[in-house]
Amino acid sequence: GAVVSQHPSWVICKSGTSVKIECRSLDFQATTMFWYRQFPKQSLMLMATSNEGSKATYEQGVEKDKFLINHASLTLSTLTVTSAHPEDSSFYICSAFKGTGTGGNEQYFGPGTRLTVT
Amino acid sequence: RKEVEQDPGPFNVPEGATVAFNCTYSNSASQSFFWYRQDCRKEPKLLMSVYSSGNEDGRFTAQLNRASQYISLLIRDSKLSDSATYLCVRSGGYNKLIFGAGTRLAVHP
Protein backbone atom coordinates (compact mmCIF):
# COMPACT_ATOMS: atom_id res chain seq x y z
CA GLY A 1 0.00 0.00 0.00
CA ALA A 2 0.86 3.65 0.01
CA VAL A 3 0.13 5.64 3.12
CA VAL A 4 0.29 9.38 3.51
CA SER A 5 -0.13 11.10 6.85
CA GLN A 6 -0.82 14.70 7.76
CA HIS A 7 -0.28 16.47 11.00
CA PRO A 8 -2.12 18.03 12.65
CA SER A 9 -5.53 16.76 11.63
CA TRP A 10 -7.12 19.95 12.86
CA VAL A 11 -5.86 23.21 14.25
CA ILE A 12 -7.36 26.40 15.60
CA CYS A 13 -5.19 29.48 15.64
CA LYS A 14 -5.53 33.18 16.19
CA SER A 15 -5.44 35.68 13.37
CA GLY A 16 -1.91 36.80 12.59
CA THR A 17 -0.17 33.65 13.73
CA SER A 18 1.52 31.06 11.52
CA VAL A 19 0.59 27.42 11.23
CA LYS A 20 2.73 24.57 9.90
CA ILE A 21 1.18 21.45 8.38
CA GLU A 22 3.23 18.34 7.74
CA CYS A 23 2.68 15.78 5.01
CA ARG A 24 4.56 12.49 5.16
CA SER A 25 4.69 9.51 2.85
CA LEU A 26 5.09 6.63 5.28
CA ASP A 27 6.01 3.69 3.10
CA PHE A 28 7.37 5.17 -0.10
CA GLN A 29 9.52 8.02 -1.31
CA ALA A 30 7.84 10.90 -3.03
CA THR A 31 9.86 13.36 -5.06
CA THR A 32 6.66 15.27 -5.73
CA MET A 33 3.90 16.20 -3.34
CA PHE A 34 0.91 18.41 -3.95
CA TRP A 35 -0.96 20.76 -1.67
CA TYR A 36 -4.69 21.39 -2.13
CA ARG A 37 -7.23 23.56 -0.39
CA GLN A 38 -10.93 22.85 -0.21
CA PHE A 39 -13.59 25.27 0.97
CA PRO A 40 -17.02 23.92 1.99
CA LYS A 41 -19.01 22.49 -0.90
CA GLN A 42 -16.27 23.38 -3.33
CA SER A 43 -13.72 21.47 -5.30
CA LEU A 44 -10.19 20.64 -4.25
CA MET A 45 -8.07 23.43 -5.64
CA LEU A 46 -4.42 22.76 -6.30
CA MET A 47 -2.28 25.32 -4.51
CA ALA A 48 1.23 24.20 -5.33
CA THR A 49 3.51 21.40 -6.38
CA SER A 50 6.21 20.58 -3.87
CA ASN A 51 9.43 19.20 -5.34
CA GLU A 52 12.07 17.58 -3.17
CA GLY A 53 15.22 19.63 -3.11
CA SER A 54 13.87 22.52 -5.13
CA LYS A 55 11.43 25.38 -4.93
CA ALA A 56 7.73 24.74 -5.01
CA THR A 57 5.69 25.64 -8.04
CA TYR A 58 2.63 27.67 -7.17
CA GLU A 59 -0.64 27.82 -9.07
CA GLN A 60 -1.87 31.12 -10.37
CA GLY A 61 -3.35 33.27 -7.64
CA VAL A 62 -1.65 31.50 -4.74
CA GLU A 63 0.67 33.75 -2.76
CA LYS A 64 4.01 32.01 -2.37
CA ASP A 65 5.07 34.32 0.46
CA LYS A 66 1.96 33.48 2.41
CA PHE A 67 1.97 29.73 1.83
CA LEU A 68 5.52 28.57 2.40
CA ILE A 69 6.33 25.09 1.19
CA ASN A 70 9.40 23.10 2.10
CA HIS A 71 10.17 19.63 0.76
CA ALA A 72 13.37 18.82 2.55
CA SER A 73 13.29 15.05 2.22
CA LEU A 74 11.74 12.40 0.02
CA THR A 75 9.11 11.66 2.65
CA LEU A 76 8.22 15.05 4.08
CA SER A 77 6.71 18.25 2.77
CA THR A 78 5.51 21.08 4.96
CA LEU A 79 3.07 23.90 4.29
CA THR A 80 3.25 26.95 6.51
CA VAL A 81 0.37 29.38 6.43
CA THR A 82 1.95 32.65 7.51
CA SER A 83 0.03 35.45 9.19
CA ALA A 84 -3.17 33.46 8.95
CA HIS A 85 -6.50 35.24 8.63
CA PRO A 86 -10.07 33.95 8.96
CA GLU A 87 -10.37 33.68 5.18
CA ASP A 88 -7.55 31.10 5.27
CA SER A 89 -9.79 28.77 7.24
CA SER A 90 -10.16 25.73 5.05
CA PHE A 91 -9.45 22.04 4.62
CA TYR A 92 -5.86 21.55 3.47
CA ILE A 93 -5.02 18.24 1.85
CA CYS A 94 -1.71 16.97 0.60
CA SER A 95 -0.98 14.17 -1.80
CA ALA A 96 2.20 12.31 -2.62
CA PHE A 97 3.01 11.12 -6.09
CA LYS A 98 4.25 7.58 -6.43
CA GLY A 99 5.50 6.98 -9.92
CA THR A 100 4.66 3.60 -11.35
CA GLY A 101 7.39 3.71 -13.96
CA THR A 102 4.83 3.05 -16.66
CA GLY A 103 3.42 6.54 -16.93
CA GLY A 104 0.66 5.91 -14.44
CA ASN A 105 -0.53 8.71 -12.26
CA GLU A 106 -0.76 7.55 -8.71
CA GLN A 107 -1.39 10.15 -6.10
CA TYR A 108 -2.04 9.15 -2.55
CA PHE A 109 -3.86 11.62 -0.37
CA GLY A 110 -3.31 12.50 3.23
CA PRO A 111 -6.32 12.67 5.56
CA GLY A 112 -6.36 16.46 5.48
CA THR A 113 -5.91 19.23 8.01
CA ARG A 114 -8.82 21.41 9.01
CA LEU A 115 -7.61 24.91 9.80
CA THR A 116 -9.79 27.40 11.63
CA VAL A 117 -8.47 30.92 12.11
CA THR A 118 -10.27 32.98 14.73
CA ARG B 1 -15.72 27.80 -18.29
CA LYS B 2 -14.58 25.49 -15.49
CA GLU B 3 -11.95 22.93 -16.40
CA VAL B 4 -14.08 20.09 -15.09
CA GLU B 5 -17.83 20.52 -14.75
CA GLN B 6 -20.19 18.34 -12.83
CA ASP B 7 -23.82 18.53 -11.78
CA PRO B 8 -23.57 19.27 -8.03
CA GLY B 9 -26.70 17.33 -7.19
CA PRO B 10 -27.68 16.18 -4.69
CA PHE B 11 -28.98 12.99 -6.17
CA ASN B 12 -31.38 11.39 -3.70
CA VAL B 13 -32.08 7.78 -4.63
CA PRO B 14 -33.50 4.72 -2.86
CA GLU B 15 -31.43 1.67 -2.18
CA GLY B 16 -31.18 -0.55 -5.21
CA ALA B 17 -31.53 2.27 -7.70
CA THR B 18 -29.24 2.89 -10.62
CA VAL B 19 -27.76 6.35 -10.81
CA ALA B 20 -25.59 8.04 -13.40
CA PHE B 21 -23.26 11.00 -13.04
CA ASN B 22 -21.91 13.05 -15.90
CA CYS B 23 -18.89 15.24 -16.26
CA THR B 24 -17.45 17.41 -19.01
CA TYR B 25 -13.94 18.74 -19.34
CA SER B 26 -12.50 21.57 -21.34
CA ASN B 27 -8.92 20.51 -22.06
CA SER B 28 -8.82 18.09 -24.96
CA ALA B 29 -5.15 17.33 -24.28
CA SER B 30 -5.93 15.56 -21.02
CA GLN B 31 -4.61 12.04 -21.03
CA SER B 32 -6.04 10.41 -17.93
CA PHE B 33 -9.35 10.56 -16.15
CA PHE B 34 -10.56 9.30 -12.83
CA TRP B 35 -13.50 9.14 -10.52
CA TYR B 36 -12.78 9.77 -6.86
CA ARG B 37 -15.09 9.42 -3.92
CA GLN B 38 -15.03 11.84 -1.02
CA ASP B 39 -16.85 11.36 2.25
CA CYS B 40 -17.72 14.33 4.41
CA ARG B 41 -14.64 15.90 5.99
CA LYS B 42 -12.37 13.22 4.57
CA GLU B 43 -9.77 13.05 1.85
CA PRO B 44 -10.73 11.91 -1.67
CA LYS B 45 -10.17 8.27 -2.49
CA LEU B 46 -9.67 6.82 -5.93
CA LEU B 47 -12.74 4.93 -7.08
CA MET B 48 -11.61 4.02 -10.57
CA SER B 49 -9.72 5.17 -13.60
CA VAL B 50 -11.69 5.87 -16.77
CA TYR B 51 -10.78 4.48 -20.16
CA SER B 52 -12.14 5.14 -23.62
CA SER B 53 -13.15 1.51 -23.95
CA GLY B 54 -15.21 1.79 -20.80
CA ASN B 55 -14.43 -0.10 -17.66
CA GLU B 56 -16.37 -1.80 -14.95
CA ASP B 57 -15.60 -2.57 -11.34
CA GLY B 58 -18.39 -4.47 -9.67
CA ARG B 59 -21.43 -2.20 -9.53
CA PHE B 60 -19.52 0.75 -11.00
CA THR B 61 -19.09 1.46 -14.69
CA ALA B 62 -17.10 4.37 -16.08
CA GLN B 63 -17.08 5.65 -19.62
CA LEU B 64 -15.02 8.22 -21.49
CA ASN B 65 -15.97 9.93 -24.73
CA ARG B 66 -12.98 11.93 -25.92
CA ALA B 67 -14.78 13.37 -28.93
CA SER B 68 -17.44 14.92 -26.71
CA GLN B 69 -15.05 15.50 -23.79
CA TYR B 70 -17.52 13.71 -21.58
CA ILE B 71 -17.12 11.23 -18.75
CA SER B 72 -19.75 9.21 -16.96
CA LEU B 73 -20.09 7.03 -13.91
CA LEU B 74 -22.90 4.53 -13.48
CA ILE B 75 -23.69 2.98 -10.12
CA ARG B 76 -25.99 -0.01 -10.11
CA ASP B 77 -27.87 -1.44 -7.14
CA SER B 78 -27.07 1.56 -4.92
CA LYS B 79 -26.15 0.87 -1.31
CA LEU B 80 -26.49 3.17 1.67
CA SER B 81 -22.71 3.12 1.87
CA ASP B 82 -22.48 4.67 -1.60
CA SER B 83 -23.64 7.99 -0.14
CA ALA B 84 -20.76 10.39 -0.74
CA THR B 85 -19.54 13.06 -3.12
CA TYR B 86 -18.19 11.77 -6.42
CA LEU B 87 -15.40 13.79 -7.96
CA CYS B 88 -14.60 13.78 -11.65
CA VAL B 89 -10.88 14.29 -12.17
CA ARG B 90 -8.62 14.78 -15.15
CA SER B 91 -4.87 14.78 -15.32
CA GLY B 92 -3.05 18.04 -15.83
CA GLY B 93 0.56 18.51 -16.79
CA TYR B 94 3.38 17.48 -14.48
CA ASN B 95 1.32 14.77 -12.78
CA LYS B 96 -1.23 17.26 -11.52
CA LEU B 97 -4.86 16.37 -10.94
CA ILE B 98 -7.68 18.76 -11.77
CA PHE B 99 -10.84 18.15 -9.76
CA GLY B 100 -14.45 18.89 -10.50
CA ALA B 101 -16.58 20.28 -7.70
CA GLY B 102 -18.24 16.92 -7.17
CA THR B 103 -21.71 15.43 -7.32
CA ARG B 104 -23.39 14.55 -4.06
CA LEU B 105 -25.20 11.25 -3.80
CA ALA B 106 -27.55 10.38 -0.96
CA VAL B 107 -28.91 6.83 -0.92
CA HIS B 108 -31.87 6.34 1.41
CA PRO B 109 -33.57 3.18 2.70
Side-chain angles (χ1 to χ4, degrees):
Chain A
V3 181
V4 176
S5 70
Q6 270 185 252
H7 178 80
S9 54
W10 60 271
V11 58
I12 301 173
C13 71
K14 292 187 176 181
S15 188
T17 61
S18 295
V19 174
K20 180 185 281 189
I21 303 170
E22 293 185 350
C23 178
R24 293 181 185 271
S25 56
L26 298 185
D27 54 358
F28 67 99
Q29 294 183 329
T31 55
T32 303
M33 291 184 175
F34 300 92
W35 286 97
Y36 297 83
R37 180 169 54 180
Q38 186 177 34
F39 293 107
K41 296 187 178 181
Q42 293 188 27
S43 178
L44 274 78
M45 294 299 297
L46 180 64
M47 299 175 67
T49 303
S50 173
N51 301 299
E52 187 268 336
S54 65
K55 292 183 179 180
T57 305
Y58 290 82
E59 295 299 303
Q60 192 173 11
V62 178
E63 300 174 58
K64 62 180 181 180
D65 294 330
K66 181 170 181 62
F67 299 99
L68 302 179
I69 292 173
N70 185 284
H71 195 151
S73 79
L74 288 172
T75 59
L76 173 64
S77 175
T78 61
L79 168 68
T80 301
V81 183
T82 63
S83 186
H85 289 97
E87 57 265 30
D88 298 322
S89 299
S90 187
F91 191 45
Y92 291 86
I93 308 174
C94 73
S95 72
F97 177 74
K98 183 180 181 183
T100 62
T102 58
N105 187 335
E106 294 195 12
Q107 283 194 32
Y108 296 90
F109 285 83
T113 297
R114 192 159 301 278
L115 170 63
T116 302
V117 185
T118 61
Chain B
R1 182 182 174 186
K2 292 180 183 177
E3 293 201 59
V4 180
E5 292 210 53
Q6 294 182 250
D7 181 341
F11 284 60
N12 293 300
V13 303
E15 277 186 286
T18 296
V19 61
F21 303 139
N22 302 319
C23 167
T24 57
Y25 61 95
S26 59
N27 189 326
S28 60
S30 294
Q31 296 297 312
S32 303
F33 302 87
F34 312 90
W35 282 101
Y36 276 74
R37 169 194 170 128
Q38 186 176 26
D39 293 289
C40 188
R41 293 177 173 262
K42 299 284 189 181
E43 75 277 23
K45 296 191 175 179
L46 179 64
L47 182 64
M48 59 198 303
S49 300
V50 188
Y51 305 111
S52 298
S53 55
N55 49 301
E56 187 174 307
D57 183 1
R59 297 182 293 109
F60 299 84
T61 301
Q63 200 81 39
L64 164 65
N65 184 321
R66 289 189 181 272
S68 303
Q69 295 182 200
Y70 172 93
I71 302 161
S72 65
L73 176 67
L74 184 75
I75 305 176
R76 291 181 297 279
D77 189 22
S78 298
K79 311 291 185 190
L80 295 176
S81 57
D82 294 333
S83 298
T85 297
Y86 290 83
L87 305 170
C88 178
V89 183
R90 71 164 183 87
S91 61
Y94 303 102
N95 299 312
K96 296 179 185 178
L97 294 178
I98 310 300
F99 285 81
T103 299
R104 282 177 52 212
L105 171 65
V107 182
H108 58 81

